[in-house]
Amino acid sequence: MSRRLSWVASAQDEATDFPLDNLPLCVFRRAGSAQAWRIGAGIGTQILDLRAAVTAGLLDPLSAALIEACSQPSLNALFALGTDAVGALRSRLQDLLAEQAPDTNKTAGCLLAQAEVEHTVPAQVGDYTDFLSSYHHAYNVGMMLRPNDPVLPNFHTIPIAYHGRSSSLLVSGEPVYRPRGVQRVAHGSNDTRFGPTARLDLEVELGAFIGPGNRRGHAIPVDEAGAQVVGLCVLNDWSARDIQSWETQPLGPFLGKNFATTLSPWVVCTQALAPYRTEPAPRRPEAPALDAYLQPAGEHWTYEIHLETRLSTPAMRERSLPAVVVSRSLFSRDSVWTFAQMVAHHTVNGCNLRPGDLLGSGTLSGPDVGSEGCMLELTRAGSKPLQLPSGEERRFLEDGDEVSITAFCERPGLPRIGFGQCVARIEQAP
Ligand code: CA
């Protein structure tokens, strides 16, 4: 365990998501206040208020552009400066919070407890794009629709995606309202009815925030695309399967997806993730050779990130039963595409990405029972309900259910770092 030590006592806790080696970024204010939103960095159970740190002169060694970006109410300006600038900020914060740091009184004056704050979505997301990157997700869902040909041939050749909706991006803790919409009266029928979705689902994903982006018409080469991702968060792409299934042909998902997407408040910087780089999953044997624009000439890597999804129902909480783990995913195993390949693909036609844009990895389903990243797969479209410790069953999500996704990196010889929580409770539509 080669963890860097901090004078912030809670950062030494073995179980903390936020040791000095992590320092994820967020946007917050004192809970219940009308304060302007401000940027913070997580350390143990505390947040370092970067606006206060600027005022106290603690960031003076950094460039004027970085200091200005740290005083903003969102992370966009910081992301626009790129991964190296974010790395320079992170190094300065590590110096201030390290065990042997001078001037700790001044820095301590800029700390407040995470329990006393509220968060908002960390960047003003102009555009949000969600990918399809897990072979097992494509296969499992495909088997329900086309048992003879579950994975469409395009899956192996390009990172498939749809354009999501940024207005309904939520920060962890905000309620998700059960959507209403048009759906089939029965499987296979073309008769429809209108009403609340009966097949509300979660999707376990990672989100990637874009740095400087590119000028329209100028594609980002795959070897430079990794540097465009400034940090990752946990993402839940809520889905109404019955609405989705009726509307999706021929133009793709719309109202079945665009009503809510929940993000964890914390952006784990790529510098913090660098020690957990690993080889991407091998290509499927049936996959053809990649087009050159998707094939890195240099280093080709992804991140070893574990994700855990927990479910609790109102009855479980009444009886003080803890939330139960329903799924465990592993990004490096479950995604056949790296974020660099997704960025290269997104821009290859000249489409421009902007600072703070968000890419979703797609549902992260693995090969094993219990590694499926959504209820549709976990319950085989509702035919094998989840059995909960309360004696209840779940085919899809019900009102009052709470879904919590956490993520972490750990490796022998390295400190464990975590992503915090991406949690939300389902409510009846208002
Ligand atoms: Ca998705």
Side-chain angles (χ1 to χ4, degrees):
M1 171 69 73
S2 56
R3 167 182 288 183
R4 290 188 62 177
L5 296 180
S6 167
W7 52 265
V8 178
S10 57
Q12 255 60 265
D13 186 337
E14 284 295 312
T16 186
D17 274 358
F18 304 149
L20 186 59
D21 303 85
N22 192 353
L23 296 186
L25 299 172
C26 70
V27 175
F28 76 99
R29 68 183 173 195
R30 201 170 273 283
S33 79
Q35 273 184 341
W37 294 106
R38 56 201 56 216
I39 297 171
I43 174 85
T45 60
Q46 307 287 301
I47 293 186
L48 183 68
D49 179 340
L50 297 197
R51 176 179 290 223
V54 167
T55 306
L58 291 169
L59 304 187
D60 285 355
L62 300 174
S63 72
L66 249 179
I67 292 171
E68 174 62 25
C70 288
S71 309
Q72 298 299 312
S74 81
L75 286 164
N76 296 63
L78 185 58
F79 290 170
L81 297 176
T83 44
D84 288 349
V86 173
L89 168 65
R90 193 167 157 277
S91 297
R92 175 62 187 163
L93 300 181
Q94 284 188 321
D95 290 346
L96 291 168
L97 293 163
E99 196 179 36
Q100 67 283 11
D103 250 355
T104 58
N105 278 347
K106 231 178 180 181
T107 310
C110 302
L111 288 176
L112 72 169
Q114 285 163 24
E116 292 171 14
V117 311
E118 59 191 12
H119 292 277
T120 187
V121 175
Q124 296 286 327
V125 177
D127 282 295
Y128 154 50
T129 306
D130 197 36
F131 282 86
L132 172 66
S133 66
S134 157
Y135 172 80
H136 299 286
H137 178 63
Y139 178 88
N140 291 339
V141 176
M143 280 299 281
M144 299 171 197
L145 304 169
R146 303 170 300 275
N148 295 322
D149 185 21
V151 179
L152 297 170
N154 60 5
F155 176 84
H156 299 292
T157 65
I158 52 172
I160 305 289
Y162 71 94
H163 279 123
R165 180 82 189 164
S166 57
S167 67
S168 53
L169 289 171
L170 310 173
V171 76
S172 181
E174 294 189 77
V176 168
Y177 302 120
R178 177 177 300 276
R180 300 187 182 93
V182 175
Q183 47 204 272
R184 288 186 175 90
V185 293
H187 182 71
S189 167
N190 281 338
D191 294 331
T192 60
R193 65 180 179 86
F194 175 86
T197 174
R199 294 191 155 207
L200 185 55
D201 203 351
L202 61 103
E203 287 192 342
V204 179
E205 305 194 18
L206 287 173
F209 283 101
I210 296 298
N214 57 312
R215 281 189 300 143
R216 191 169 62 82
H218 296 257
I220 299 172
V222 67
D223 285 297
E224 295 167 26
Q228 283 285 345
V229 175
V230 284
L232 304 184
C233 67
V234 181
L235 185 153
N236 187 343
D237 177 25
W238 303 97
S239 302
R241 299 302 184 192
D242 35 18
I243 298 171
Q244 182 188 353
S245 124
W246 180 244
E247 75 181 359
T248 292
Q249 301 297 338
L251 280 188
F254 183 41
L255 301 180
K257 294 276 195 181
N258 71 0
F259 58 94
T261 304
T262 305
L263 305 178
S264 60
W266 304 97
V267 181
V268 178
C269 303
T270 49
Q271 286 84 3
L273 294 168
Y276 308 94
R277 283 187 184 187
T278 188
E279 298 267 311
R283 303 259 304 148
R284 301 281 310 173
E286 67 271 33
L290 280 176
D291 277 292
Y293 80 92
L294 288 170
Q295 182 64 62
E299 260 191 301
H300 189 33
W301 44 265
T302 187
Y303 298 112
E304 192 176 333
I305 301 171
H306 301 264
L307 297 101
E308 290 182 348
T309 304
R310 289 175 173 77
L311 174 65
S312 91
T313 69
M316 288 169 66
R317 293 193 295 275
E318 249 164 54
R319 293 168 52 187
S320 301
L321 295 169
V324 63
V325 175
V326 294
S327 170
R328 289 189 168 90
S329 304
L330 175 58
F331 178 59
S332 47
R333 177 196 63 191
D334 301 340
S335 176
V336 307
W337 303 109
T338 66
F339 278 118
Q341 288 172 315
M342 296 182 217
V343 167
H345 182 65
H346 205 310
T347 61
V348 72
N349 65 343
C351 173
N352 48 323
L353 293 175
R354 294 177 294 185
D357 279 0
L358 179 68
L359 308 186
S361 64
T363 307
L364 296 171
S365 298
D368 311 316
V369 171
S371 67
E372 302 94 334
C374 65
M375 299 284 282
L376 183 68
E377 295 170 71
L378 283 163
T379 70
R380 299 291 179 261
S383 65
K384 290 187 176 169
L386 292 178
Q387 306 296 326
L388 301 176
S390 51
E392 296 171 287
E393 291 187 339
R394 280 294 181 276
R395 292 174 162 79
F396 289 94
L397 298 170
E398 296 186 10
D399 291 348
D401 287 355
E402 184 176 280
V403 176
S404 164
I405 311 175
T406 54
F408 60 91
C409 302
E410 63 181 8
R411 259 188 198 174
L414 289 174
R416 177 190 180 283
I417 62 167
F419 284 67
Q421 246 194 343
C422 175
V423 60
R425 207 172 274 192
I426 310 300
E427 291 185 11
Q428 215 173 27

